[in-house]
Amino acid sequence: QVQLVESGGGLVQAGDSLRLSCTASGLTFSRYNIGWFRQNPGSERQFVAAIRPSGGSTYYSNSVKGRFTISRDNDKNTVFLQMNSLTWLNTAVYYCAEALSKAEYSGYYSSEQGYDYWGQGTQVTVSS
C-alpha cells in the first residue's frame, strides 16, 4: 500500500535550519506531486510547499517563500524541504502528502483536499 514517511524534524533555535525528508513507497513516485503542509493543535492544516513530478515546477506559501526550498530525488522516492532562517512561527507538525499528477494541479496544489495519502508527520519546534 501507499506509505509516506516524514523525517528530519526536531528542536532548533530561531535562525537555524532543518531539512525534512518525505520518503514514499507503494506508488510510482515519478507520477506524483508532493506537497508539504503544517499544523498546530487547534488550527487548520496549512499549505507550505509543493513540487511537480519532474521537480520543474514548485509552489510556496507566501510565508516561506525565499526561506524554504522544496526538491525531490525520484531515484530515492524522496522529497526534501530545506527550511532556513526558522522562527517560532514555523513550529508545527509537518506532513507530506501525494497527489497524482494532473494538468489542473496548479489550481489546487495548496488545498489538502487535493491530496490522497498523507504521512504521519514530523514535529518541528523552534525556540526563540
Side-chain angles (χ1 to χ4, degrees):
Q1 75 269 21
V2 176
Q3 189 174 20
L4 301 172
V5 179
E6 302 94 338
S7 61
L11 172 63
V12 296
Q13 293 186 334
D16 285 351
S17 298
L18 273 178
R19 189 176 80 156
L20 305 184
S21 298
C22 170
T23 301
S25 60
L27 74 168
T28 305
F29 188 70
S30 60
R31 295 179 60 193
Y32 287 82
N33 306 299
I34 300 293
W36 282 98
F37 291 74
R38 63 188 179 196
Q39 187 174 27
N40 282 306
S43 300
E44 294 185 353
R45 199 170 292 187
Q46 296 178 328
F47 169 74
V48 177
I51 189 167
R52 287 275 201 176
S54 68
S57 294
T58 57
Y59 311 90
Y60 297 94
S61 69
N62 287 335
S63 64
V64 307
K65 198 173 296 183
R67 295 188 300 120
F68 290 14
T69 302
I70 189 170
S71 62
R72 65 191 294 159
D73 184 341
N74 286 345
D75 290 336
K76 297 181 178 178
N77 283 12
T78 300
V79 167
F80 304 99
L81 184 67
Q82 177 68 42
M83 306 187 296
N84 298 330
S85 303
L86 288 164
T87 75
W88 67 272
L89 292 171
N90 300 127
T91 294
V93 177
Y94 283 72
Y95 300 89
C96 65
E98 59 85 0
L100 184 64
S101 182
K102 298 179 181 178
E104 315 86 81
Y105 181 67
S106 59
Y108 62 81
Y109 62 84
S110 62
S111 171
E112 60 178 307
Q113 284 73 31
Y115 295 83
D116 300 311
Y117 290 94
W118 294 78
Q120 293 300 306
T122 184
Q123 176 71 49
V124 172
T125 303
V126 184
S127 63
S128 58

Short mmCIF file of all heavy atoms in Angstrom, two decimals, residues 59-127:
data_model
loop_
_atom_site.label_atom_id
_atom_site.label_comp_id
_atom_site.label_asym_id
_atom_site.label_seq_id
_atom_site.Cartn_x
_atom_site.Cartn_y
_atom_site.Cartn_z
N TYR A 59 5.95 25.26 -5.77
CA TYR A 59 4.99 26.22 -5.26
C TYR A 59 5.27 26.43 -3.78
O TYR A 59 5.61 25.49 -3.07
CB TYR A 59 3.56 25.70 -5.43
CG TYR A 59 3.24 25.20 -6.83
CD1 TYR A 59 3.44 23.87 -7.16
CD2 TYR A 59 2.74 26.05 -7.80
CE1 TYR A 59 3.15 23.39 -8.42
CE2 TYR A 59 2.44 25.59 -9.07
CZ TYR A 59 2.65 24.26 -9.38
OH TYR A 59 2.36 23.80 -10.63
N TYR A 60 5.08 27.68 -3.32
CA TYR A 60 5.34 28.00 -1.93
C TYR A 60 4.25 28.91 -1.38
O TYR A 60 3.69 29.73 -2.10
CB TYR A 60 6.68 28.73 -1.79
CG TYR A 60 7.88 27.91 -2.21
CD1 TYR A 60 8.39 27.99 -3.48
CD2 TYR A 60 8.49 27.05 -1.30
CE1 TYR A 60 9.48 27.22 -3.87
CE2 TYR A 60 9.60 26.28 -1.67
CZ TYR A 60 10.08 26.37 -2.96
OH TYR A 60 11.16 25.62 -3.32
N SER A 61 4.02 28.79 -0.08
CA SER A 61 3.18 29.78 0.58
C SER A 61 3.99 31.07 0.70
O SER A 61 5.23 31.05 0.74
CB SER A 61 2.75 29.29 1.96
OG SER A 61 3.86 29.25 2.84
N ASN A 62 3.30 32.18 0.77
CA ASN A 62 3.99 33.47 0.86
C ASN A 62 4.86 33.56 2.13
O ASN A 62 5.89 34.23 2.13
CB ASN A 62 2.98 34.61 0.85
CG ASN A 62 2.37 34.81 -0.53
OD1 ASN A 62 2.96 34.46 -1.54
ND2 ASN A 62 1.16 35.35 -0.56
N SER A 63 4.44 32.88 3.18
CA SER A 63 5.16 33.00 4.45
C SER A 63 6.52 32.30 4.44
O SER A 63 7.36 32.61 5.28
CB SER A 63 4.30 32.43 5.58
OG SER A 63 4.09 31.05 5.39
N VAL A 64 6.74 31.39 3.52
CA VAL A 64 8.02 30.66 3.50
C VAL A 64 8.84 30.94 2.25
O VAL A 64 10.00 30.52 2.16
CB VAL A 64 7.81 29.14 3.64
CG1 VAL A 64 6.97 28.83 4.86
CG2 VAL A 64 7.18 28.55 2.38
N LYS A 65 8.25 31.63 1.30
CA LYS A 65 8.95 31.89 0.04
C LYS A 65 10.26 32.63 0.30
O LYS A 65 10.30 33.61 1.04
CB LYS A 65 8.05 32.72 -0.88
CG LYS A 65 8.43 32.70 -2.34
CD LYS A 65 7.36 33.40 -3.19
CE LYS A 65 6.03 32.69 -3.14
NZ LYS A 65 5.02 33.32 -4.01
N GLY A 66 11.32 32.14 -0.28
CA GLY A 66 12.64 32.74 -0.08
C GLY A 66 13.43 32.13 1.06
O GLY A 66 14.65 32.32 1.15
N ARG A 67 12.76 31.40 1.96
CA ARG A 67 13.45 30.75 3.09
C ARG A 67 13.42 29.23 2.98
O ARG A 67 14.33 28.55 3.45
CB ARG A 67 12.84 31.17 4.41
CG ARG A 67 12.99 32.65 4.74
CD ARG A 67 12.53 32.95 6.16
NE ARG A 67 11.13 32.61 6.35
CZ ARG A 67 10.68 31.72 7.24
NH1 ARG A 67 11.53 31.07 8.01
NH2 ARG A 67 9.38 31.48 7.36
N PHE A 68 12.37 28.69 2.41
CA PHE A 68 12.22 27.25 2.27
C PHE A 68 12.43 26.85 0.81
O PHE A 68 12.07 27.60 -0.10
CB PHE A 68 10.83 26.80 2.70
CG PHE A 68 10.56 26.89 4.17
CD1 PHE A 68 11.38 27.60 5.04
CD2 PHE A 68 9.45 26.24 4.71
CE1 PHE A 68 11.12 27.68 6.40
CE2 PHE A 68 9.16 26.31 6.06
CZ PHE A 68 10.00 27.03 6.90
N THR A 69 12.99 25.68 0.61
CA THR A 69 13.19 25.14 -0.73
C THR A 69 12.74 23.69 -0.76
O THR A 69 13.19 22.88 0.05
CB THR A 69 14.66 25.23 -1.15
OG1 THR A 69 15.10 26.59 -1.10
CG2 THR A 69 14.83 24.71 -2.59
N ILE A 70 11.87 23.39 -1.71
CA ILE A 70 11.41 22.01 -1.89
C ILE A 70 12.14 21.42 -3.09
O ILE A 70 12.36 22.10 -4.11
CB ILE A 70 9.88 21.94 -2.07
CG1 ILE A 70 9.40 20.49 -2.03
CG2 ILE A 70 9.43 22.67 -3.33
CD1 ILE A 70 7.87 20.37 -1.97
N SER A 71 12.53 20.17 -2.97
CA SER A 71 13.22 19.48 -4.06
C SER A 71 12.89 17.99 -3.96
O SER A 71 12.29 17.55 -2.98
CB SER A 71 14.73 19.70 -3.97
OG SER A 71 15.25 19.19 -2.76
N ARG A 72 13.28 17.24 -4.98
CA ARG A 72 12.99 15.81 -4.95
C ARG A 72 14.08 15.01 -5.64
O ARG A 72 14.75 15.52 -6.54
CB ARG A 72 11.62 15.52 -5.56
CG ARG A 72 11.48 15.81 -7.03
CD ARG A 72 10.01 15.74 -7.46
NE ARG A 72 9.46 14.40 -7.36
CZ ARG A 72 8.15 14.13 -7.27
NH1 ARG A 72 7.28 15.12 -7.28
NH2 ARG A 72 7.72 12.88 -7.20
N ASP A 73 14.20 13.77 -5.22
CA ASP A 73 15.09 12.80 -5.85
C ASP A 73 14.23 11.60 -6.20
O ASP A 73 13.94 10.77 -5.33
CB ASP A 73 16.22 12.42 -4.88
CG ASP A 73 17.25 11.49 -5.51
OD1 ASP A 73 16.92 10.85 -6.52
OD2 ASP A 73 18.36 11.38 -4.98
N ASN A 74 13.83 11.51 -7.45
CA ASN A 74 12.93 10.43 -7.85
C ASN A 74 13.59 9.06 -7.79
O ASN A 74 12.91 8.05 -7.65
CB ASN A 74 12.37 10.71 -9.23
CG ASN A 74 11.31 11.81 -9.23
OD1 ASN A 74 10.79 12.19 -8.17
ND2 ASN A 74 11.01 12.34 -10.40
N ASP A 75 14.90 9.02 -7.90
CA ASP A 75 15.60 7.73 -7.79
C ASP A 75 15.50 7.17 -6.37
O ASP A 75 15.58 5.96 -6.16
CB ASP A 75 17.06 7.88 -8.18
CG ASP A 75 17.24 8.12 -9.66
OD1 ASP A 75 16.34 7.75 -10.44
OD2 ASP A 75 18.27 8.72 -10.04
N LYS A 76 15.33 8.06 -5.39
CA LYS A 76 15.25 7.65 -3.99
C LYS A 76 13.84 7.78 -3.44
O LYS A 76 13.63 7.62 -2.24
CB LYS A 76 16.22 8.48 -3.15
CG LYS A 76 17.68 8.27 -3.51
CD LYS A 76 18.58 9.10 -2.62
CE LYS A 76 20.06 8.85 -2.97
NZ LYS A 76 20.97 9.67 -2.13
N ASN A 77 12.88 8.10 -4.31
CA ASN A 77 11.48 8.24 -3.88
C ASN A 77 11.35 9.21 -2.70
O ASN A 77 10.56 8.98 -1.77
CB ASN A 77 10.88 6.89 -3.49
CG ASN A 77 10.51 6.05 -4.69
OD1 ASN A 77 10.89 6.37 -5.82
ND2 ASN A 77 9.77 4.99 -4.46
N THR A 78 12.09 10.29 -2.76
CA THR A 78 12.14 11.20 -1.62
C THR A 78 12.00 12.65 -2.06
O THR A 78 12.56 13.06 -3.08
CB THR A 78 13.47 11.02 -0.85
OG1 THR A 78 13.57 9.68 -0.38
CG2 THR A 78 13.55 11.96 0.35
N VAL A 79 11.25 13.39 -1.27
CA VAL A 79 11.12 14.84 -1.42
C VAL A 79 11.72 15.48 -0.18
O VAL A 79 11.54 14.98 0.94
CB VAL A 79 9.66 15.25 -1.59
CG1 VAL A 79 9.50 16.76 -1.43
CG2 VAL A 79 9.14 14.83 -2.96
N PHE A 80 12.41 16.60 -0.39
CA PHE A 80 13.06 17.31 0.70
C PHE A 80 12.43 18.69 0.87
O PHE A 80 11.98 19.29 -0.09
CB PHE A 80 14.55 17.47 0.41
CG PHE A 80 15.26 16.19 0.15
CD1 PHE A 80 15.53 15.78 -1.15
CD2 PHE A 80 15.67 15.37 1.19
CE1 PHE A 80 16.18 14.60 -1.41
CE2 PHE A 80 16.32 14.18 0.94
CZ PHE A 80 16.57 13.79 -0.36
N LEU A 81 12.46 19.16 2.11
CA LEU A 81 12.06 20.52 2.40
C LEU A 81 13.18 21.15 3.22
O LEU A 81 13.33 20.83 4.41
CB LEU A 81 10.73 20.58 3.15
CG LEU A 81 10.21 21.99 3.41
CD1 LEU A 81 9.81 22.66 2.09
CD2 LEU A 81 9.01 21.96 4.37
N GLN A 82 13.96 21.99 2.58
CA GLN A 82 15.03 22.71 3.26
C GLN A 82 14.44 23.97 3.87
O GLN A 82 13.88 24.80 3.14
CB GLN A 82 16.15 23.06 2.28
CG GLN A 82 17.28 23.87 2.89
CD GLN A 82 18.09 23.08 3.90
OE1 GLN A 82 18.39 21.91 3.70
NE2 GLN A 82 18.44 23.73 5.01
N MET A 83 14.57 24.11 5.17
CA MET A 83 13.98 25.23 5.87
C MET A 83 15.09 26.04 6.52
O MET A 83 15.81 25.54 7.39
CB MET A 83 13.00 24.73 6.94
CG MET A 83 11.93 23.79 6.39
SD MET A 83 10.66 23.37 7.61
CE MET A 83 11.64 22.51 8.83
N ASN A 84 15.22 27.27 6.10
CA ASN A 84 16.26 28.16 6.62
C ASN A 84 15.65 29.32 7.39
O ASN A 84 14.46 29.62 7.24
CB ASN A 84 17.11 28.71 5.48
CG ASN A 84 17.85 27.64 4.71
OD1 ASN A 84 18.20 26.59 5.26
ND2 ASN A 84 18.08 27.87 3.44
N SER A 85 16.46 29.95 8.22
CA SER A 85 16.02 31.13 8.99
C SER A 85 14.71 30.86 9.72
O SER A 85 13.77 31.65 9.65
CB SER A 85 15.88 32.35 8.07
OG SER A 85 17.08 32.62 7.39
N LEU A 86 14.68 29.78 10.44
CA LEU A 86 13.46 29.37 11.13
C LEU A 86 13.11 30.33 12.26
O LEU A 86 13.99 30.88 12.93
CB LEU A 86 13.61 27.96 11.67
CG LEU A 86 13.59 26.86 10.60
CD1 LEU A 86 14.14 25.55 11.16
CD2 LEU A 86 12.18 26.66 10.08
N THR A 87 11.82 30.53 12.46
CA THR A 87 11.32 31.33 13.57
C THR A 87 10.31 30.50 14.34
O THR A 87 9.86 29.44 13.88
CB THR A 87 10.65 32.62 13.08
OG1 THR A 87 9.37 32.30 12.53
CG2 THR A 87 11.49 33.33 12.02
N TRP A 88 9.89 31.01 15.51
CA TRP A 88 8.95 30.24 16.33
C TRP A 88 7.63 30.04 15.59
O TRP A 88 6.90 29.10 15.86
CB TRP A 88 8.71 30.94 17.66
CG TRP A 88 8.00 32.26 17.56
CD1 TRP A 88 8.57 33.49 17.37
CD2 TRP A 88 6.59 32.47 17.61
NE1 TRP A 88 7.60 34.45 17.32
CE2 TRP A 88 6.38 33.86 17.46
CE3 TRP A 88 5.49 31.63 17.78
CZ2 TRP A 88 5.12 34.42 17.49
CZ3 TRP A 88 4.22 32.19 17.80
CH2 TRP A 88 4.05 33.58 17.65
N LEU A 89 7.36 30.91 14.63
CA LEU A 89 6.13 30.77 13.84
C LEU A 89 6.14 29.51 12.98
O LEU A 89 5.09 29.08 12.49
CB LEU A 89 5.94 32.00 12.95
CG LEU A 89 5.62 33.30 13.67
CD1 LEU A 89 5.67 34.47 12.70
CD2 LEU A 89 4.25 33.23 14.34
N ASN A 90 7.32 28.94 12.76
CA ASN A 90 7.42 27.73 11.96
C ASN A 90 7.23 26.46 12.79
O ASN A 90 7.26 25.36 12.24
CB ASN A 90 8.77 27.67 11.26
CG ASN A 90 8.99 28.84 10.33
OD1 ASN A 90 10.00 29.55 10.42
ND2 ASN A 90 8.04 29.08 9.43
N THR A 91 7.03 26.61 14.10
CA THR A 91 6.78 25.45 14.95
C THR A 91 5.46 24.81 14.56
O THR A 91 4.43 25.47 14.50
CB THR A 91 6.75 25.87 16.43
OG1 THR A 91 8.05 26.32 16.82
CG2 THR A 91 6.33 24.70 17.31
N ALA A 92 5.49 23.50 14.29
CA ALA A 92 4.29 22.78 13.87
C ALA A 92 4.67 21.32 13.61
O ALA A 92 5.85 20.97 13.58
CB ALA A 92 3.70 23.38 12.60
N VAL A 93 3.65 20.52 13.39
CA VAL A 93 3.87 19.19 12.82
C VAL A 93 3.81 19.33 11.30
O VAL A 93 2.85 19.91 10.78
CB VAL A 93 2.82 18.18 13.31
CG1 VAL A 93 3.05 16.82 12.65
CG2 VAL A 93 2.88 18.04 14.83
N TYR A 94 4.81 18.82 10.64
CA TYR A 94 4.89 18.93 9.18
C TYR A 94 4.53 17.60 8.55
O TYR A 94 5.07 16.55 8.93
CB TYR A 94 6.30 19.37 8.77
CG TYR A 94 6.54 20.83 9.00
CD1 TYR A 94 6.70 21.34 10.29
CD2 TYR A 94 6.59 21.73 7.94
CE1 TYR A 94 6.90 22.70 10.51
CE2 TYR A 94 6.80 23.09 8.15
CZ TYR A 94 6.94 23.57 9.43
OH TYR A 94 7.13 24.91 9.65
N TYR A 95 3.64 17.67 7.59
CA TYR A 95 3.14 16.49 6.89
C TYR A 95 3.46 16.58 5.40
O TYR A 95 3.39 17.66 4.81
CB TYR A 95 1.63 16.37 7.03
CG TYR A 95 1.10 16.25 8.42
CD1 TYR A 95 0.78 17.39 9.17
CD2 TYR A 95 0.90 15.00 9.00
CE1 TYR A 95 0.28 17.28 10.46
CE2 TYR A 95 0.40 14.88 10.28
CZ TYR A 95 0.09 16.02 11.00
OH TYR A 95 -0.40 15.91 12.28
N CYS A 96 3.77 15.44 4.80
CA CYS A 96 3.83 15.41 3.35
C CYS A 96 2.64 14.58 2.84
O CYS A 96 2.08 13.75 3.57
CB CYS A 96 5.15 14.84 2.85
SG CYS A 96 5.48 13.10 3.25
N ALA A 97 2.27 14.85 1.60
CA ALA A 97 1.12 14.18 1.01
C ALA A 97 1.34 14.06 -0.49
O ALA A 97 2.11 14.83 -1.07
CB ALA A 97 -0.16 14.97 1.30
N GLU A 98 0.65 13.11 -1.10
CA GLU A 98 0.83 12.89 -2.53
C GLU A 98 -0.47 13.10 -3.29
O GLU A 98 -1.56 12.87 -2.76
CB GLU A 98 1.35 11.46 -2.79
CG GLU A 98 0.48 10.34 -2.31
CD GLU A 98 -0.61 9.93 -3.27
OE1 GLU A 98 -0.74 10.52 -4.36
OE2 GLU A 98 -1.37 9.00 -2.90
N ALA A 99 -0.31 13.56 -4.51
CA ALA A 99 -1.44 13.77 -5.41
C ALA A 99 -1.00 13.35 -6.81
O ALA A 99 0.04 13.82 -7.29
CB ALA A 99 -1.88 15.22 -5.42
N LEU A 100 -1.78 12.49 -7.43
CA LEU A 100 -1.45 12.05 -8.78
C LEU A 100 -1.36 13.26 -9.69
O LEU A 100 -2.21 14.16 -9.63
CB LEU A 100 -2.51 11.08 -9.27
CG LEU A 100 -2.28 10.45 -10.65
CD1 LEU A 100 -1.02 9.59 -10.64
CD2 LEU A 100 -3.49 9.63 -11.06
N SER A 101 -0.35 13.27 -10.53
CA SER A 101 -0.12 14.43 -11.37
C SER A 101 -1.24 14.62 -12.38
O SER A 101 -1.58 13.72 -13.13
CB SER A 101 1.21 14.27 -12.11
OG SER A 101 1.46 15.41 -12.90
N LYS A 102 -1.80 15.81 -12.40
CA LYS A 102 -2.82 16.20 -13.36
C LYS A 102 -2.54 17.62 -13.81
O LYS A 102 -1.92 18.39 -13.09
CB LYS A 102 -4.22 16.11 -12.73
CG LYS A 102 -4.63 14.74 -12.29
CD LYS A 102 -6.01 14.76 -11.65
CE LYS A 102 -6.41 13.38 -11.17
NZ LYS A 102 -7.75 13.42 -10.51
N ALA A 103 -3.03 17.95 -15.00
CA ALA A 103 -2.79 19.29 -15.52
C ALA A 103 -3.38 20.37 -14.62
O ALA A 103 -2.83 21.47 -14.52
CB ALA A 103 -3.37 19.41 -16.93
N GLU A 104 -4.49 20.06 -13.94
CA GLU A 104 -5.17 21.05 -13.11
C GLU A 104 -4.51 21.27 -11.77
O GLU A 104 -4.97 22.10 -10.98
CB GLU A 104 -6.63 20.61 -12.84
CG GLU A 104 -7.40 20.11 -14.02
CD GLU A 104 -7.17 18.63 -14.27
OE1 GLU A 104 -7.80 17.80 -13.58
OE2 GLU A 104 -6.34 18.33 -15.14
N TYR A 105 -3.42 20.55 -11.49
CA TYR A 105 -2.80 20.62 -10.17
C TYR A 105 -2.42 22.04 -9.78
O TYR A 105 -2.49 22.41 -8.61
CB TYR A 105 -1.56 19.71 -10.14
CG TYR A 105 -0.85 19.68 -8.81
CD1 TYR A 105 -1.42 19.13 -7.68
CD2 TYR A 105 0.45 20.21 -8.70
CE1 TYR A 105 -0.74 19.09 -6.47
CE2 TYR A 105 1.13 20.18 -7.49
CZ TYR A 105 0.54 19.62 -6.38
OH TYR A 105 1.21 19.58 -5.19
N SER A 106 -2.05 22.85 -10.75
CA SER A 106 -1.66 24.22 -10.45
C SER A 106 -2.82 25.02 -9.86
O SER A 106 -2.61 26.08 -9.27
CB SER A 106 -1.13 24.92 -11.69
OG SER A 106 -2.12 24.94 -12.71
N GLY A 107 -4.03 24.51 -9.98
CA GLY A 107 -5.18 25.18 -9.43
C GLY A 107 -5.55 24.75 -8.03
O GLY A 107 -6.36 25.41 -7.37
N TYR A 108 -4.99 23.63 -7.55
CA TYR A 108 -5.39 23.15 -6.23
C TYR A 108 -4.24 22.64 -5.38
O TYR A 108 -4.47 22.02 -4.36
CB TYR A 108 -6.45 22.06 -6.35
CG TYR A 108 -6.04 20.80 -7.07
CD1 TYR A 108 -5.31 19.81 -6.43
CD2 TYR A 108 -6.39 20.60 -8.41
CE1 TYR A 108 -4.94 18.65 -7.08
CE2 TYR A 108 -6.03 19.44 -9.07
CZ TYR A 108 -5.30 18.47 -8.39
OH TYR A 108 -4.93 17.32 -9.04
N TYR A 109 -3.01 22.95 -5.74
CA TYR A 109 -1.86 22.39 -5.02
C TYR A 109 -1.86 22.76 -3.54
O TYR A 109 -1.27 22.08 -2.73
CB TYR A 109 -0.55 22.83 -5.67
CG TYR A 109 -0.33 24.34 -5.66
CD1 TYR A 109 0.22 24.98 -4.56
CD2 TYR A 109 -0.67 25.10 -6.76
CE1 TYR A 109 0.41 26.35 -4.55
CE2 TYR A 109 -0.48 26.47 -6.76
CZ TYR A 109 0.06 27.10 -5.65
OH TYR A 109 0.23 28.44 -5.65
N SER A 110 -2.47 23.90 -3.19
CA SER A 110 -2.44 24.35 -1.80
C SER A 110 -3.62 23.84 -0.98
O SER A 110 -3.72 24.17 0.22
CB SER A 110 -2.40 25.88 -1.74
OG SER A 110 -3.57 26.41 -2.33
N SER A 111 -4.47 23.06 -1.57
CA SER A 111 -5.66 22.55 -0.87
C SER A 111 -5.41 21.11 -0.41
O SER A 111 -5.10 20.24 -1.23
CB SER A 111 -6.87 22.58 -1.79
OG SER A 111 -7.96 21.90 -1.20
N GLU A 112 -5.60 20.85 0.87
CA GLU A 112 -5.35 19.50 1.36
C GLU A 112 -6.33 18.49 0.77
O GLU A 112 -6.03 17.30 0.70
CB GLU A 112 -5.38 19.46 2.88
CG GLU A 112 -6.67 19.90 3.53
CD GLU A 112 -6.60 19.78 5.04
OE1 GLU A 112 -6.25 18.70 5.55
OE2 GLU A 112 -6.89 20.77 5.73
N GLN A 113 -7.48 18.98 0.32
CA GLN A 113 -8.45 18.07 -0.30
C GLN A 113 -7.94 17.50 -1.61
O GLN A 113 -8.49 16.52 -2.12
CB GLN A 113 -9.79 18.79 -0.54
CG GLN A 113 -10.64 19.00 0.70
CD GLN A 113 -10.09 20.09 1.62
OE1 GLN A 113 -9.47 21.04 1.16
NE2 GLN A 113 -10.32 19.94 2.90
N GLY A 114 -6.92 18.10 -2.18
CA GLY A 114 -6.39 17.62 -3.44
C GLY A 114 -5.44 16.45 -3.31
O GLY A 114 -5.00 15.90 -4.32
N TYR A 115 -5.13 16.05 -2.09
CA TYR A 115 -4.15 15.01 -1.84
C TYR A 115 -4.82 13.75 -1.33
O TYR A 115 -5.83 13.80 -0.63
CB TYR A 115 -3.10 15.52 -0.85
CG TYR A 115 -2.29 16.66 -1.41
CD1 TYR A 115 -2.77 17.96 -1.37
CD2 TYR A 115 -1.06 16.42 -2.00
CE1 TYR A 115 -2.03 19.01 -1.91
CE2 TYR A 115 -0.31 17.47 -2.53
CZ TYR A 115 -0.81 18.75 -2.48
OH TYR A 115 -0.07 19.78 -3.02
N ASP A 116 -4.22 12.62 -1.67
CA ASP A 116 -4.86 11.35 -1.39
C ASP A 116 -4.28 10.63 -0.17
O ASP A 116 -5.01 10.09 0.64
CB ASP A 116 -4.75 10.44 -2.62
CG ASP A 116 -5.41 11.04 -3.84
OD1 ASP A 116 -6.57 11.48 -3.72
OD2 ASP A 116 -4.77 11.08 -4.91
N TYR A 117 -2.98 10.58 -0.07
CA TYR A 117 -2.33 9.88 1.03
C TYR A 117 -1.42 10.84 1.77
O TYR A 117 -0.76 11.68 1.16
CB TYR A 117 -1.53 8.67 0.53
CG TYR A 117 -2.40 7.54 0.04
CD1 TYR A 117 -2.71 7.43 -1.31
CD2 TYR A 117 -2.90 6.59 0.93
CE1 TYR A 117 -3.51 6.39 -1.76
CE2 TYR A 117 -3.70 5.56 0.48
CZ TYR A 117 -4.00 5.47 -0.87
OH TYR A 117 -4.79 4.44 -1.31
N TRP A 118 -1.37 10.65 3.08
CA TRP A 118 -0.60 11.52 3.96
C TRP A 118 0.33 10.69 4.84
O TRP A 118 0.02 9.55 5.19
CB TRP A 118 -1.54 12.31 4.87
CG TRP A 118 -2.40 13.27 4.14
CD1 TRP A 118 -3.52 13.00 3.40
CD2 TRP A 118 -2.20 14.68 4.06
NE1 TRP A 118 -4.03 14.15 2.87
CE2 TRP A 118 -3.24 15.20 3.25
CE3 TRP A 118 -1.25 15.56 4.59
CZ2 TRP A 118 -3.36 16.56 2.97
CZ3 TRP A 118 -1.37 16.91 4.31
CH2 TRP A 118 -2.41 17.40 3.51
N GLY A 119 1.45 11.32 5.21
CA GLY A 119 2.32 10.71 6.19
C GLY A 119 1.84 11.00 7.60
O GLY A 119 0.81 11.68 7.79
N GLN A 120 2.57 10.51 8.59
CA GLN A 120 2.19 10.67 9.99
C GLN A 120 2.69 11.98 10.57
O GLN A 120 2.25 12.38 11.66
CB GLN A 120 2.73 9.50 10.81
CG GLN A 120 2.09 8.18 10.46
CD GLN A 120 0.59 8.20 10.69
OE1 GLN A 120 0.11 8.53 11.77
NE2 GLN A 120 -0.18 7.87 9.66
N GLY A 121 3.58 12.64 9.89
CA GLY A 121 4.05 13.94 10.35
C GLY A 121 5.35 13.87 11.13
O GLY A 121 5.69 12.84 11.72
N THR A 122 6.06 14.98 11.15
CA THR A 122 7.28 15.12 11.95
C THR A 122 7.24 16.47 12.65
O THR A 122 6.88 17.48 12.04
CB THR A 122 8.54 14.97 11.08
OG1 THR A 122 9.71 15.01 11.90
CG2 THR A 122 8.66 16.06 10.01
N GLN A 123 7.56 16.47 13.92
CA GLN A 123 7.45 17.69 14.73
C GLN A 123 8.66 18.58 14.51
O GLN A 123 9.81 18.13 14.62
CB GLN A 123 7.34 17.32 16.21
CG GLN A 123 7.32 18.52 17.15
CD GLN A 123 6.03 19.33 17.06
OE1 GLN A 123 4.94 18.76 17.11
NE2 GLN A 123 6.14 20.65 16.94
N VAL A 124 8.39 19.85 14.26
CA VAL A 124 9.43 20.88 14.21
C VAL A 124 9.13 21.90 15.30
O VAL A 124 8.04 22.46 15.34
CB VAL A 124 9.47 21.57 12.83
CG1 VAL A 124 10.42 22.76 12.86
CG2 VAL A 124 9.88 20.58 11.75
N THR A 125 10.08 22.09 16.18
CA THR A 125 9.93 23.06 17.26
C THR A 125 11.08 24.04 17.20
O THR A 125 12.25 23.65 17.22
CB THR A 125 9.91 22.36 18.62
OG1 THR A 125 8.86 21.39 18.65
CG2 THR A 125 9.67 23.38 19.74
N VAL A 126 10.73 25.32 17.11
CA VAL A 126 11.74 26.37 17.03
C VAL A 126 11.65 27.21 18.30
O VAL A 126 10.60 27.80 18.58
CB VAL A 126 11.54 27.27 15.80
CG1 VAL A 126 12.67 28.29 15.70
CG2 VAL A 126 11.46 26.43 14.53
N SER A 127 12.71 27.24 19.05
CA SER A 127 12.73 28.02 20.28
C SER A 127 13.25 29.43 19.98
O SER A 127 14.16 29.61 19.17
CB SER A 127 13.62 27.35 21.33
OG SER A 127 14.96 27.30 20.89
#
